[in-house]
Amino acid sequence: MFFVDTLEIEGLGNRSYLVGGSLAAVVIDPPRDIDQVIATAARRGVRIAYVAETHVHNDYVTGGLELARVTGARYLVPAGASVSFARTPVADGDSVAVDVGLVLRAMATPGHTPHHTSYLLEEDGRAVAAFTGGSLLIGSVGRPDLVEPRLTERLARAQHASAHRLADELDDDVQVLPTHGFGSFCSSSQAEGDATTIGAERKNNDALTKDVDTFVAELLTGLDDVPAYYAHMGPANAVGPAPVDLTPPRSADADEIASRLAAGEWVVDLRNRVAFAEGHVAGSFNFEGEGKLATYLAWLIPWGKPVTLLAATAEDIAAAQRELARVGIDRPAAAATGAAQTWIGEGERLASFRRARFADLADARERGEKVVVLDVRRDAERAGGFVNGSVHIPIHELHGRLGEVPDGEVWVHCAGGMRAAIAASLLDAAGREVVAVDDAFTAAGEAGLPLTRPAGTD
């Protein structure tokens, strides 16, 4: 009998897997913080014999090299990947014995990257699971445009061929266990559902139901924005990431927080957006610890800029530090916990701004108030409809385009509230009068706000 333990990396929208039998196991695409992988293996009572990468990752820093070093496991990396560390290169058809009756076989599935490799778990000679990384995902495939623009169409065609190879060679009941597709921007679209099989994908996945030309044309048209920090992930993984340091950062008092802000460093408040709006350190930015912290902070922050974290508890700081380490923001410059009032000097006051719903915005417009409506959703989201007269600056561009926001009170919205809170904090720090619309975009039409929608929609 074999087991598959799934390690959810929720903030980044990825999964890693611990797979094995009664004595030994292999880890597929491990996260940077390997302690959780080791703990999972310990609970199973198995030895980590192999660590396998499906590709050189573009969206997170791998823990594979360090996990192999710590455990003594063989580190399996696709032979075509250009890396500068010692590893066991694997090519199409190579296999290793994981445990009694369990074999892991490599299958070349280029498309997400030129060297992308899936791994088939075979029990007594029969494939039972396919670890497809960024190849065949749940209802989708990994995006082909992260390596080199000139290769994008070629890799999109390779994705189609790789999906068909998996479907042609594997039985319907084989589990498909991808790394991407659960919120990661490495996926060309997001997964609908939590589990799948080759048979289900054969019926529902565009790569398997559409001809190659139609599939490629639609895939390339639908590609979304690429987070800026992705440019740093591939090189870090190719060189070989350093071990992660999750020891607590140094404590900062009110004077140090003020000094860091004065020096142009980033001070990030991890509290929920309601608490932040009610009272925060002037000049600080709000990236909720419970939101997609790593994705959006790493996307917006100038790479290498020192960051100080503020949170209610040390546990909140530790969780954020772990998540940020996964994308290469290794050590916060400092941190502070407790009540927000303790983060400012004696006699100073916390800054604040208003929160509202789309119905409040409709009322303000009805009263004839001159307000600026700022939409910070991505281009693809806005293409589905927007508030008439709104200004559009995607959240990941806002910090560099604050000067383009028209004068006046700014009502900022996104699709649900989290990104609007980030944007509101950026605007507030820049001295703008701001109202954060904390509401689902579907409520805009319900509130009577006039919307522009694509032709053919209600």
Side-chain angles (χ1 to χ4, degrees):
M1 293 291 293
F2 70 94
F3 70 84
V4 177
D5 286 341
T6 301
L7 288 78
E8 297 277 0
I9 315 300
E10 293 182 4
L12 296 176
N14 287 326
R15 291 177 174 177
S16 299
Y17 302 94
L18 177 73
V19 189
S22 60
L23 299 175
V26 56
V27 181
I28 310 290
D29 289 342
R32 180 91 180 276
D33 47 324
I34 62 173
D35 56 335
Q36 61 177 317
V37 182
I38 294 171
T40 303
R43 285 192 294 270
R44 281 282 184 182
V46 295
R47 175 177 60 91
I48 297 176
Y50 299 96
V51 177
E53 303 281 9
T54 57
H55 60 294
V56 175
H57 302 283
N58 289 290
D59 64 331
Y60 70 93
V61 180
T62 180
L65 182 62
E66 179 65 2
L67 182 60
R69 185 190 70 79
V70 168
T71 63
R74 287 175 61 190
Y75 192 22
L76 310 180
V77 178
S82 178
V83 296
S84 57
F85 50 82
R87 86 287 192 199
T88 299
V90 291
D92 187 51
D94 287 349
S95 62
V96 294
V98 177
D99 206 325
V100 177
L102 287 181
V103 169
L104 192 74
R105 178 163 62 89
M107 176 187 284
T109 49
H112 187 47
T113 66
H115 61 265
H116 190 281
T117 299
S118 298
Y119 295 95
L120 309 181
L121 182 69
E122 299 175 344
E123 183 180 41
D124 298 328
R126 178 181 176 275
V128 291
F131 298 92
T132 54
S135 183
L136 187 67
L137 311 183
I138 300 179
S140 184
V141 295
R143 59 193 299 168
D145 62 327
L146 301 178
V147 177
E148 159 61 55
R150 292 170 296 181
L151 297 179
T152 297
E153 182 173 351
R154 186 189 312 172
L155 289 176
R157 292 182 178 277
Q159 277 289 48
H160 188 271
S162 292
H164 278 265
R165 184 184 181 194
L166 286 161
D168 290 345
E169 295 191 20
L170 300 175
D171 295 337
D172 279 353
D173 62 349
V174 172
Q175 298 177 67
V176 176
L177 300 166
T179 300
H180 302 316
F182 310 96
S184 169
F185 282 84
C186 271
S187 174
S188 58
S189 63
Q190 297 312 310
E192 294 185 6
D194 193 55
T196 192
T197 62
I198 287 292
E201 294 308 303
R202 206 189 306 275
K203 296 176 182 177
N204 302 315
N205 196 302
D206 284 353
L208 298 174
T209 61
K210 296 183 177 181
D211 67 86
V212 62
D213 290 332
T214 301
F215 167 78
V216 169
E218 293 180 356
L219 175 64
L220 299 185
T221 299
L223 292 174
D224 210 338
D225 299 299
V226 178
Y229 71 90
Y230 276 26
H232 305 281
M233 300 298 96
N237 287 324
V239 169
V244 66
D245 179 3
L246 295 178
T247 57
R250 62 188 302 274
S251 296
D253 59 16
D255 288 341
E256 181 173 350
I257 292 170
S259 294
R260 290 189 177 279
L261 282 168
E265 298 181 10
W266 278 36
V267 173
V268 171
D269 191 325
L270 301 169
R271 295 175 302 151
N272 69 67
R273 54 188 181 261
V274 177
F276 183 88
E278 290 177 348
H280 56 270
V281 178
S284 63
F285 302 140
N286 183 212
F287 290 80
E288 292 179 304
E290 295 297 318
K292 294 179 74 68
L293 169 66
T295 295
Y296 284 103
L297 179 55
W299 198 339
L300 270 66
I301 193 170
W303 199 249
K305 176 81 72 175
V307 60
T308 294
L309 302 178
L310 310 179
T313 68
E315 289 76 15
D316 293 337
I317 295 291
Q321 186 177 351
R322 178 179 292 272
E323 189 168 348
L324 293 175
R326 293 170 180 161
V327 293
I329 301 177
D330 283 1
R331 293 292 299 165
T337 59
Q341 192 67 43
T342 65
W343 303 335
I344 59 174
E346 187 176 351
E348 296 179 355
R349 298 180 61 182
L350 295 170
S352 63
F353 54 75
R354 288 191 294 148
R355 296 168 53 252
R357 302 287 186 181
F358 277 110
D360 301 315
L361 174 58
D363 290 343
R365 280 188 162 185
E366 183 69 22
R367 292 192 299 268
E369 296 181 18
K370 301 296 184 183
V371 300
V372 177
V373 180
L374 176 63
D375 180 350
V376 296
R377 295 174 301 158
R378 297 186 301 277
D379 290 345
E381 295 172 285
R382 186 172 169 89
F386 56 88
V387 176
N388 288 0
S390 60
V391 177
H392 180 225
I393 303 177
I395 183 62
H396 56 276
E397 299 178 9
L398 181 59
H399 189 250
R401 298 176 59 186
L402 288 170
E404 298 178 31
V405 181
D407 293 338
E409 184 179 71
V410 184
W411 291 59
V412 58
H413 80 85
C414 59
M418 181 193 73
R419 287 172 293 172
I422 297 172
S425 72
L426 297 177
L427 289 159
D428 177 74
R432 298 298 302 270
E433 186 177 0
V434 63
V435 178
V437 179
D438 194 354
D439 208 353
F441 184 71
T442 52
E446 297 168 2
L449 288 165
L451 304 179
T452 296
R453 299 184 185 273
T457 62
D458 293 334

